[in-house]
Amino acid sequence: MNKEFEGLWRDTLEPWLAGLEAERKGSVTQFLVWTIGGVLLGLAIAAYFFTRGGDIFFLPVGLVFGGVAGVLIGGRRLERLRKSVKCELNTKIAEVCQLSYALKPSTPARFETFRGYGLLPSYTRCAFEDHFSGERLGCDFELYEAHLKQRRSNGKSSHYVTVFRGVLLRINFPRKVEGVTVITRDMGVFNGLGALGRSFGSKKLERIALVDPRFEKAFEVYGTDQVLARYMLDPAFMERLLKLETALKGKNVRAAFDEHSGQGELLIAAETGNLFEAGSMFKPLADEARVTTLVSEMLLVTEIIENLVKPPELGESG
């Protein structure tokens, strides 16, 4: 960490976290007591019915349901502490980065647009958290995390599986955006089928051929205008988008240039997993590694945005 973050840790965050250590230990103890008690109670009830002629099936059922009940009841205090620590750490670190932070977005920015352009999979349940907003190089932006689940059924039972967990990013792009340009993942032999259904509202999106073989291997591009799409996807931007996937340590980055906001925006979705967490509550709170991880993730966000919106530099492609 640089001196500014070191000062934040030494003067503010470390003494604050140290003051919460007794609460953490009490919360962990309560969680363990309820969890173990729930398991024992579940086993006792199951054993009671088993000794009176019940099926042995009651034993594992009692174990599971007792344990789950204990975790849910005993974990409420620990969960409140986790959210409090996470919110305070992210808020203070964001302030140093000249950003604003909220535990959840009041409105998930352009979420329906992400869906409309096919940048997100279909889902049954959705949840949002960790909303950051601010400005870099004269461009305002919003970033938040989305967790999408889809209900799956085999005819006898159903369950939910995660189909997307990562970040959604909206940036007011510095160059004028005209039309719509959508950048999706390459689907190999299925690219032709994907092209048949690409549209937004009344506008048909046609496939855009690009000259960069590395970009073509990773992405498929569709747009309302061939010339405008190539203008937005200049060689320098394509190179930066390729580097973005590595920088985020995620996968399946996809994006869109959208004129419909009135200002022109760049929308990016990336499967990064769950970021911006405060770490385990089963370890001492006053651990500098918690803050170091959050600082690195937040600086990565600001660096990504600056790299995407800054003008092409000498030595970049094109």
Side-chain angles (χ1 to χ4, degrees):
M1 294 190 293
N2 62 32
K3 290 183 178 181
E4 197 167 9
F5 288 111
E6 288 176 352
L8 174 67
W9 165 253
R10 183 182 61 254
D11 300 334
T12 304
L13 297 181
E14 184 179 23
W16 176 70
L17 290 172
L20 290 174
E21 187 60 20
E23 172 63 17
R24 184 196 70 82
K25 290 179 178 179
S27 299
V28 169
T29 299
Q30 186 180 81
F31 171 80
L32 294 176
V33 168
W34 272 97
T35 301
I36 295 171
V39 170
L40 294 176
L41 180 61
L43 285 176
I45 294 173
Y48 173 82
F49 285 105
F50 176 69
T51 57
R52 282 158 176 73
D55 197 298
I56 195 172
F57 173 72
F58 281 107
L59 291 176
V61 170
L63 177 66
V64 171
F65 277 91
V68 170
V71 167
L72 292 177
I73 297 173
R76 289 182 297 184
R77 179 179 171 187
L78 195 63
E79 178 63 14
R80 287 196 297 269
L81 177 63
R82 185 194 67 82
K83 284 187 176 180
S84 175
V85 170
K86 171 183 174 175
C87 187
E88 183 69 10
L89 291 181
N90 278 326
T91 298
K92 294 299 185 184
I93 296 170
E95 288 174 355
V96 175
C97 296
Q98 298 181 318
L99 304 177
S100 296
Y101 171 78
L103 196 58
K104 291 187 177 182
S106 56
T107 302
R110 299 291 184 265
F111 182 67
E112 293 303 321
T113 306
F114 277 102
R115 293 185 61 206
Y117 288 151
L119 301 179
L120 296 173
S122 59
Y123 66 93
T124 311
R125 290 178 175 176
C126 63
F128 309 101
E129 63 176 353
D130 297 332
H131 178 265
F132 297 88
S133 60
E135 181 180 295
R136 280 296 183 275
L137 301 181
C139 302
D140 68 86
F141 71 91
E142 294 178 76
L143 179 147
Y144 60 95
E145 289 188 295
H147 188 187
L148 309 180
K149 294 182 178 181
Q150 190 176 69
R151 186 172 181 269
R152 302 279 172 85
S153 176
N154 58 12
K156 296 182 180 180
S157 62
S158 62
H159 62 285
Y160 289 88
V161 298
T162 295
V163 291
F164 178 89
R165 185 157 199 173
V167 297
L168 302 181
L169 175 62
R170 176 201 66 79
I171 308 173
N172 276 347
F173 205 64
R175 282 187 284 161
K176 184 178 180 181
V177 176
E178 295 183 88
V180 174
T181 301
V182 179
I183 305 157
T184 65
R185 307 304 299 188
D186 183 86
M187 296 186 295
V189 296
F190 298 103
N191 284 331
L193 295 176
L196 294 176
R198 294 287 172 184
S199 62
F200 183 77
S202 60
K203 293 186 178 182
K204 180 70 176 179
L205 305 184
E206 56 181 304
R207 188 176 176 189
I208 310 295
L210 300 170
V211 296
D212 189 325
R214 295 177 304 148
F215 197 86
E216 284 273 20
K217 187 177 181 180
F219 300 99
E220 284 295 310
V221 180
Y222 302 88
T224 53
D225 187 286
Q226 292 273 348
V227 175
L228 292 176
R230 291 193 183 95
Y231 165 72
M232 300 309 303
L233 290 174
D234 60 48
F237 181 83
M238 286 190 286
E239 185 173 291
R240 291 174 185 178
L241 199 60
L242 287 168
K243 291 180 178 178
L244 172 61
E245 196 158 270
T246 302
L248 282 173
K249 297 179 182 178
K251 59 181 181 178
N252 292 340
V253 170
R254 49 264 204 191
F257 287 102
D258 178 32
E259 70 174 357
H260 290 90
S261 69
Q263 298 177 341
E265 294 173 333
L266 171 61
L267 306 176
I268 293 178
E271 297 176 27
T272 59
N274 193 15
L275 302 177
F276 313 114
E277 294 300 317
S280 173
M281 294 293 105
F282 292 92
K283 297 179 180 179
L285 290 175
D287 180 2
E288 191 175 351
R290 295 180 188 273
V291 174
T292 302
T293 299
L294 290 173
V295 167
S296 64
E297 290 175 347
M298 219 166 294
L299 290 178
L300 176 62
V301 168
T302 57
E303 180 182 352
I304 285 169
I305 294 167
E306 289 173 359
N307 283 337
L308 289 173
V309 302
K310 68 183 181 181
E313 298 176 337
L314 186 65
E316 282 191 300
S317 296

